[in-house]
Amino acid sequence: MRGGDAETVWLFGIHAVRDALLNAARARRRLILTPNARERLGEAVETSGMTPEIADPRRFPAPLDPQSVHQGAALEAEPLDWGRLDGLCRPHAADPAPVVVLLDRVTDPHNVGAILRSAEVFGARAVIAPRHHAAPETGALAKSASGALERQPYLRVRNLGDAMEELRGLGYVLIGLDGAAEATLDAAVAASRGQPLGLVLGAEGPGLRPRTRELCDSLARITAARDFASLNVSNAAAVALHLAAMRG
């Protein structure tokens, strides 16, 4: 959930809170732990320098959704600032062909959290989404990301189309995933070898918006063994990132 202050967010769960406590770039405000969670997070709490509020697990005071599986740990913190797209995504000598993921109105925090995990595993430079009509940084997203939110840049931009234009100016090839496309994703990704690559995914159901499709250099589909087979957006992102990582 968002914090009481519009500039803060409540993170919850042992893994999400531990990684946020260990992240020197994360501005932290309030830490609430049960005695058991305090014991489990001992080293991380000491490293952070925070003094936690110890709470009765039966009356946990953090303002979380009642369905949240908080495991006795909640942290109010400020959202991370990953800087500007140009500085974050620009190719450089040590990484001349980076990969980024662009999300077009993907609003489910669990899907975005899973995509952040895959992006970290396969070495993507960033996951980029619009500030509006996309999953914001929340406790549910952080928990689904299982710590990846603290390490994998999740860059929120004012306009996704403008970000795509800026990436093209930096030399990126933009491939949009579309189940009805003629080209296969493995062939399209292989053809981008040696170039910066942007993988563009739309929301399940609506898919890519018209302007987003127009700004892609090509559209490609994941090859399926059977007709009507489909993947949710987080699984599709994992497949695409794996193919990108195998480009050599």
Side-chain angles (χ1 to χ4, degrees):
M1 293 182 64
R2 305 299 294 184
D5 183 325
E7 297 300 319
T8 67
V9 60
W10 278 98
L11 307 176
F12 58 85
I14 293 294
H15 291 298
V17 170
R18 175 186 287 119
D19 286 317
L21 289 173
L22 294 174
N23 184 2
R26 175 71 82 171
R28 302 172 290 261
R29 296 195 182 182
R30 183 183 178 194
L31 176 62
I32 303 175
L33 303 174
T34 62
N36 180 60
R38 175 65 179 88
E39 184 175 348
R40 295 176 67 183
L41 293 171
E43 185 175 343
V45 173
E46 298 304 322
T47 299
S48 73
M50 295 191 75
T51 300
E53 301 171 32
I54 305 302
D56 185 328
R58 295 166 297 182
R59 294 188 296 276
F60 199 68
L64 304 175
D65 187 291
Q67 305 304 313
S68 300
V69 183
H70 55 73
Q71 300 173 292
L75 173 68
E76 186 182 15
E78 297 178 18
L80 290 166
D81 181 3
W82 293 104
R84 298 175 62 84
L85 183 147
D86 177 80
L88 185 61
C89 300
R90 179 177 291 277
H92 50 72
D95 186 16
V99 176
V100 300
V101 177
L102 297 106
L103 303 179
D104 187 15
R105 297 199 174 196
V106 178
T107 58
D108 186 330
H110 301 94
N111 276 332
V112 175
I115 290 168
L116 287 169
R117 293 179 70 180
S118 294
E120 181 182 26
V121 167
F122 292 111
R125 187 76 71 82
V127 175
I128 302 168
R131 291 177 192 163
H132 303 291
H133 307 293
E137 183 177 330
T138 62
L141 189 153
K143 195 169 192 301
S144 297
S146 193
L149 180 64
E150 304 301 322
R151 300 177 295 271
Q152 176 63 47
Y154 181 41
L155 185 63
R156 308 287 301 286
V157 296
R158 186 177 62 82
N159 183 284
L160 189 66
D162 291 348
M164 293 173 71
E165 296 276 23
E166 187 173 354
L167 287 169
R168 182 177 283 112
L170 294 174
Y172 278 78
V173 174
L174 303 177
I175 300 175
L177 273 69
D178 183 340
E182 293 186 8
T184 62
L185 185 61
D186 49 347
V189 169
S192 73
R193 184 177 291 111
Q195 299 173 279
L197 174 62
L199 300 166
V200 190
L201 296 97
E204 293 178 46
L208 300 174
R209 288 176 295 161
R211 182 171 186 241
T212 305
R213 293 170 62 90
E214 292 171 4
L215 289 171
C216 292
D217 294 297
S218 64
L219 299 175
R221 59 178 169 81
I222 294 173
T223 304
R226 296 177 176 83
D227 291 340
F228 307 113
S230 64
L231 297 171
N232 76 12
V233 65
S234 62
N235 289 333
V239 171
L241 284 162
H242 178 259
L243 290 172
M246 298 296 287
R247 290 187 302 168

